[in-house]
Amino acid sequence: ITVMDTEREIGVSQAKGFKNDATPLLLSGQMDFDEFGGTKEFRGDLPFVDFWQSLIKSQIGMFGIIFPDHPLAIGDSWEEIVPLKNLGQIKLDGDGLSYTNVFTRREDTDKDGRSAATFKLAAPMRSHDLTGYIEQSGQSTHLNITEFERHATGTVHFDRERGIFIDSDTSGTANSAMTTLVQGRALSMRMEIRLNMEIKLLADSTGKAAK
């Protein structure tokens, strides 16, 4: 099923929304980070700044991890709580949800001949009886979300000697059951979201790790 094909006038309104979401990724700007990996400031084109400021509210820093303000021994864990206001295209009513991400330091790992601190992520969540809505073509469709379940896992590597992030690999799934009214008739549906995100430190022109 073709969802968007603007040359054939299919899904033109949806394509406009998709283009608006993608445009900030093509713009340039700068980001300032604090010593724990949190984002302090975005600078650059206004759409770039607005996009990343909005995105960072629903994730843990730019690299999927923010370190605590105390030393971590192997086996130590800490939590980061993040608000969740969207489920894909669904916007949740009210304050939305808050989900807890648990990070644990594991045994150090060899990365390209260097010792790297390794951290594991686990973020399970289950909720029910939520409400939200989808906006499409200028119309808002109300949804009753009877069940929602989310699981995320990941691994982060950090070079303690150089004090730089090396890479992260995060995967997650979300499943929900919901009902809505279409022309006065009840409609039941299920939604499944899968996500995999990889971030890696790139080398500069000399072959050294970029900072």
Side-chain angles (χ1 to χ4, degrees), residues 130-191:
L130 306 171
T131 59
Y133 60 95
I134 293 179
E135 293 181 340
Q136 290 182 328
S137 303
Q139 295 184 343
S140 180
T141 302
H142 185 267
L143 299 168
N144 292 312
I145 305 168
T146 55
E147 298 177 20
F148 176 69
E149 187 171 356
R150 179 186 185 276
H151 296 278
T153 59
T155 303
V156 178
H157 294 110
F158 188 83
D159 189 324
R160 290 183 292 115
E161 182 179 343
R162 293 182 293 172
I164 57 175
F165 167 92
I166 300 175
D167 61 36
S168 69
D169 186 352
T170 306
S171 61
T173 60
N175 295 277
S176 62
M178 62 195 79
T179 60
T180 188
L181 290 176
V182 178
Q183 297 180 349
R185 300 182 61 182
L187 174 67
S188 299
M189 52 189 166
R190 298 193 67 88
M191 180 179 68

Side-chain angles (χ1 to χ4, degrees), residues 36-50:
F36 305 113
T39 306
K40 296 174 59 178
E41 183 182 7
F42 295 99
R43 290 173 283 117
D45 300 313
L46 185 58
F48 174 92
V49 174
D50 288 344

